[in-house]
Every structure is written in C-alpha cells, then in structure tokens.
Amino acid sequence: MMFIWYIVIGLVAGWVASRIMRGQGYGLLINMIIGIIGGVLGGWLFSLLGFYSTGGIIGSLITSVIGAIVLLWFVGLVNRPTRK
C-alpha cells in the first residue's frame, strides 16, 4: 500500500514542481514521471545533508517537490536550446 502512496505523492510533486518552475514543464505525463524520480532524488539529497523526512505524507511531498524542482532545473540546463 505504501508503494501506491509514493507514486501518488510523486505524481502530485511533479505537477507542483512544474507549476513552481514556470516554463520548465514537459507535459503532464513527463512531469509526473519527473515527480516520481524527483521523490527519489529529494530523499537522496536530504539524506546526504543529514535531513530525514519524518513528517508523514506532508514531509514526503515536500521532499519530492524539492527533488522534482532540482531535477527540472537540471534538465533545463542540459536541454537548453542553442543559439545560432
């Protein structure tokens, strides 16, 4: 059952992160996938810094949103259009 919650939290996090990072969205489906990957990335980044999400669903959502924002920012850097 917790696996389903992680997916739902990742989906919401992808949507929220795309709204925060205006212009960095890649469509609903891709943003949701980015949210799920961002949840893993956020958990890993927070564990490196010594922070652990103990706030239940809200803490997991915040961690996932921050991870998704970092991922969208990084994808935006890599996917930047070249000027001619």
Side-chain angles (χ1 to χ4, degrees):
M1 186 67 179
M2 288 304 291
F3 182 72
I4 294 172
W5 275 114
Y6 291 136
I7 291 174
V8 170
I9 288 171
L11 298 176
V12 172
W15 181 78
V16 170
S18 70
R19 296 293 165 219
I20 292 173
M21 300 286 292
R22 288 185 241 159
Q24 295 294 323
Y26 295 100
L28 184 63
L29 180 65
I30 300 299
N31 284 341
M32 290 179 177
I33 292 170
I34 286 175
I36 293 170
I37 296 169
V40 174
L41 178 66
W44 179 71
L45 288 174
F46 279 174
S47 69
L48 283 178
L49 297 173
F51 298 115
Y52 297 98
S53 173
T54 59
I57 293 174
I58 300 298
S60 297
L61 181 62
I62 292 169
T63 301
S64 296
V65 168
I66 291 173
I69 288 171
V70 169
L71 186 59
L72 281 173
W73 174 76
F74 182 74
V75 168
L77 283 178
V78 172
N79 208 13
R80 192 172 277 173
T82 57
R83 295 183 185 184
K84 293 184 179 185

